[in-house]
Amino acid sequence: MRIPLAGYAVGAAVAGDLANTSPTVRAAGDALPTPEALTRFLSEHGLRLDALADGRPPTGDDVHEVHLLRREARGVVETETEDQAVAGATVLAGRAGLSPALDRDPGGRWQWYVPTAPGASLAEELAALIGVGLLGAVRALGHGRFRACVAPGCRGVFVDTSRGGRRVYCMPDLCGNRLNVANHRARHRLGSVR
């Protein structure tokens, strides 16, 4: 895999989204229980299987390794200081990441990439992607964009890579909607009490 340094938002998004697949975040249980679920997760993030782990499909061992990586990714996103985030992300990036290389993109422009080591496991390649993404987010946006979800009772985390930096929910379509529905019902109850 070649990880573009300019495309840090992908790795940062994978970090938060992977952390949020945990049963500690999702009431319905683990969102990555099987190799098929892991395949869907990768696909939803634009990560092609033919470009990961020598093109082989995920196995049960890969799922287990990704579950362990999920804890590490969450730990980096939850760090208290920028220095801690950089140290943790550097460890992840080094898991399979090699020295940055200057190469041409499909449009012929020179871009910086971090290639991953041949034979790296799926979890090692994801670790490198996440590490590079988190380092890029710290560099471009600052550690203040590493956040916990504000929805009551939610334990989700995310890296806000939005332009305005105003994101507050780990899963806006789920947590944001849940809170909006709760607020609507509360207003409705107040209106019917009067």
Side-chain angles (χ1 to χ4, degrees):
M1 172 177 14
R2 291 184 335 155
I3 304 164
L5 287 178
Y8 67 86
V10 172
V14 169
D17 292 348
L18 180 61
N20 295 334
T21 64
S22 169
T24 61
V25 176
R26 296 183 176 264
D30 195 326
L32 295 178
T34 64
E36 295 77 22
L38 179 54
T39 299
R40 278 191 304 279
F41 176 85
L42 297 171
S43 177
E44 289 167 359
H45 288 84
L47 302 173
R48 297 184 355 247
L49 281 179
D50 61 341
L52 293 166
D54 296 329
R56 65 172 179 72
T59 65
D61 288 342
D62 289 322
V63 172
H64 176 71
E65 287 181 26
V66 169
H67 285 174
L68 297 174
L69 172 60
R70 159 172 82 187
R71 292 181 192 159
E72 291 179 87
R74 181 182 185 89
V76 176
V77 175
E78 288 183 320
T79 55
E80 292 183 18
T81 69
E82 194 167 78
D83 289 340
Q84 291 170 339
V86 168
T90 300
V91 168
L92 291 175
R95 193 80 50 80
L98 301 174
S99 297
L102 193 61
D103 201 357
R104 292 194 186 271
D105 67 13
R109 295 175 302 274
W110 289 104
Q111 299 291 334
W112 283 106
Y113 293 93
V114 175
T116 55
S121 73
L122 176 61
E124 290 169 334
E125 289 195 335
L126 283 178
L129 174 71
I130 288 168
V132 169
L134 294 176
L135 289 169
V138 167
R139 166 69 177 85
L141 304 171
H143 184 255
R145 295 284 190 101
F146 289 41
R147 301 183 180 151
C149 186
V150 300
C154 183
R155 297 197 55 217
V157 295
F158 62 96
V159 178
D160 182 2
T161 59
S162 69
R163 182 182 300 236
R166 294 186 192 99
R167 184 174 161 196
V168 294
Y169 303 114
C170 65
M171 294 175 271
D173 55 330
L174 181 65
C175 294
N177 285 344
R178 188 180 308 138
L179 191 59
N180 289 336
V181 167
N183 288 339
H184 173 76
R185 288 179 179 157
R187 284 190 305 273
H188 184 70
R189 278 192 304 269
L190 281 175
S192 65
V193 170
R194 292 181 188 176

